[in-house]
Amino acid sequence: SRRCGLAAGRSYSGGGAYPSVSLAVPLPGVPKAVFAAAEGTERFETRVTVLDNGLRVASQNKFGQFCTVGLLINSGSRHEAKYLSGISHFLEKLAFSSTAQFGSKDEILLTLEKHGGICDCQASKDTIMYAVSADAKGLDTVVNLLADVVLQPRLSDEEIEMTRTAIRFELEDLNMRPDPEPLLTEMIHAAAYRENTVGLNRFCPVENTDKIDREVLHSYLRNYYTPDRMVLAGVGIEHEQLVEYAKKHLLGVEPVWGNRQTKDVDRSVAQYTGGIVKVEKDMSDVSLGPTPIPELTHIMIGLESCSFLEEDFIPFAVLNMMMGGGGSFSAGGPGKGMFTRLYLNVLNRHHWMYNATSYHHSYEDTGLLCIHASADPKQVREMVEIITREFILMAGAVGEVELERAKTQLKSMLMMNLESRPVIFEDVGRQVLATNTRKLPRELCTLIGQVQSTDIKRVVTKMLHKKPAVAALGDLTDLPTYEHIQAALSSKDGRLPRVYRLFR
């Protein structure tokens, strides 16, 4: 009987049981399909509303049960010129601690847990971002919590002391990590913008951990945590609903530090200086285990690019992708990233180089395009020559196939990143914070498609006229002087001066 059943099943799956059913005729009793109309896309455009106190509310609807909502504030380490360095680092660690309504961090996490929520805070050189992802039905609770965390933090002595301990541990960890990229990024900014704006350290110096207290934090918050410097951004929610809760929880609220008039707001514009920052460090034992990382010297060379508000920002983004930046070496199938210049001209030809990656950092008033390379300490001179040569070659001919590949890869990376709701949230928040509006992905893709080889040559020529910024970490015995690196970048072939070779 079992075999008969199987045979019957096979006959049924082959379609023999219903020979009279036509695939061209709708099935009886099945509801008529409703298809999405093109005009419905307007519901998913970014919308911005400015409240009476100057706070901007930005949202983008997105299909799904969950939403990401957060407050982005125009505040970061670049604004600490008149304060102790490290305040933003402290605020990042103190985020989502006890507030006027919530007695502890555990209480906040339990409240979010009821709506399946998680929270995070990230401080950068120019922005601090408090974000929550939760079920969209708990939006009222989420906005209330965000308002309380940002405007009514208790900053108790116990919490500040725990933050001091956490920061000291993080600084120790940074110096012990095999990956030096966070340290090198700080060093290249310090070299490029000496003691101003984005050149100020994002991490709190050890000597300042004991000096920062509640009074110092309140003094800073009074100047920078004002409604006109904030954006409440949300993704996956109705705009009217977000505006309603913003008015309810963020309008007319007096912060814990009071409403006294701001007086020490730093509005400095970034001043690119160029220069070199060197840190001699023993890198021979940065990793343990059966296959330890060999001792390496790390070099980062950068030149000033442009602000993300300028038209040249898109050509610089294409150039960065063409060189080998933007995650072009990440996973994603065989050969991904293997057509970039730093792979073809550097890693593929010089087996002794362990790394060559391009980075593009862009801010409201400046930008920095740099290349990070790693090699054995004995081959530092050759490594510097190879990297400077790549900067010189940027101004040469750009093949059509190479350019189209870089543009396609940039569009692909942009669209894939914007599949993620938290990434859309950050994109909406940062753009509205800087420009009061948002360029949609399709507009950016159009701009990327319009980049020509002449645009690449033009921006590179402008960039090569600037003094270089250099960061060096590790055994620097054979490192060329800053003057020699500058001379190499000014030459036609990127070679170091002959006098250095003869008498080094």
Side-chain angles (χ1 to χ4, degrees), residues 98-401:
S98 63
T99 68
Q101 289 183 45
F102 301 93
S104 65
K105 180 172 274 192
D106 287 344
E107 202 174 315
I108 287 174
L109 295 176
L110 284 169
T111 303
L112 285 175
E113 202 175 285
K114 291 174 186 174
H115 300 284
I118 54 171
C119 61
D120 186 30
C121 178
Q122 291 180 12
S124 63
K125 289 190 174 289
D126 56 357
T127 311
I128 188 161
M129 181 172 64
Y130 298 79
V132 171
S133 285
D135 193 308
K137 291 175 185 174
L139 184 62
D140 188 12
T141 305
V142 167
V143 176
N144 174 42
L145 188 147
L146 282 166
D148 214 44
V149 163
V150 173
L151 299 175
Q152 304 285 335
R154 285 186 185 170
L155 306 178
S156 68
D157 293 338
E158 185 186 356
E159 287 168 345
I160 289 172
E161 192 53 49
M162 284 176 67
T163 300
R164 288 187 182 122
T165 305
I167 286 174
R168 288 188 197 111
F169 176 81
E170 186 177 350
L171 294 173
E172 280 181 34
D173 181 56
L174 273 172
N175 287 309
M176 291 167 63
R177 279 187 203 171
D179 175 23
E181 202 258 320
L183 280 179
L184 277 167
T185 300
E186 288 306 309
M187 288 164 64
I188 195 80
H189 279 81
Y193 307 91
R194 281 205 173 270
E195 297 177 3
N196 76 90
T197 57
V198 293
L200 302 177
N201 201 329
R202 188 169 70 85
F203 300 110
C204 180
V206 178
E207 62 271 17
N208 284 358
T209 51
D210 287 324
K211 298 174 186 174
I212 295 174
D213 55 21
R214 190 190 298 110
E215 189 179 335
V216 171
L217 293 170
H218 276 188
S219 171
Y220 179 87
L221 291 165
R222 189 175 298 114
N223 288 307
Y224 291 101
Y225 277 41
T226 55
D228 58 302
R229 301 177 69 89
M230 295 182 185
V231 169
L232 177 69
V235 175
I237 34 131
E238 295 290 344
H239 185 71
E240 290 77 11
Q241 202 177 15
L242 186 62
V243 171
E244 179 192 337
Y245 294 136
K247 288 177 178 175
K248 178 179 174 183
H249 300 296
L250 288 159
L251 203 58
V253 177
E254 183 173 347
V256 71
W257 47 84
N259 271 329
R260 274 186 288 166
Q261 195 171 1
T262 59
K263 57 180 179 179
D264 287 326
V265 175
D266 183 14
R267 293 188 172 86
S268 304
V269 176
Q271 302 296 314
Y272 181 84
T273 60
I276 186 167
V277 171
K278 301 186 288 185
V279 175
E280 284 272 2
K281 186 179 176 187
D282 180 10
M283 305 285 280
S284 58
D285 59 349
V286 291
S287 67
L288 304 172
T291 54
I293 295 172
E295 181 182 0
L296 300 173
T297 294
H298 302 272
I299 304 291
M300 199 177 267
I301 300 175
L303 291 163
E304 188 182 22
S305 58
C306 73
S307 147
F308 58 69
L309 299 176
E310 295 177 49
E311 287 183 6
D312 284 344
F313 172 68
I314 299 293
F316 268 117
V318 174
L319 172 65
N320 180 50
M321 188 61 71
M322 189 173 77
M323 292 307 296
S328 60
F329 290 93
S330 63
K336 189 167 183 281
M338 290 189 177
F339 288 101
T340 64
R341 287 193 178 186
L342 291 178
Y343 186 88
L344 292 173
N345 302 346
V346 178
L347 296 174
N348 201 33
R349 294 184 184 180
H350 307 283
H351 64 90
W352 45 268
M353 282 189 66
Y354 281 79
N355 172 43
T357 314
S358 174
Y359 295 93
H360 188 216
H361 306 279
S362 199
Y363 304 95
E364 202 170 339
D365 51 0
T366 188
L368 193 64
L369 183 82
C370 41
I371 295 175
H372 171 203
S374 309
D376 187 276
K378 293 172 186 171
Q379 290 168 304
V380 169
R381 183 185 65 79
E382 289 90 342
M383 175 168 65
V384 170
E385 266 199 5
I386 289 163
I387 297 308
T388 52
R389 192 182 307 134
E390 286 307 310
F391 272 109
I392 301 294
L393 289 171
M394 285 182 195
V398 178
E400 196 169 323
V401 173

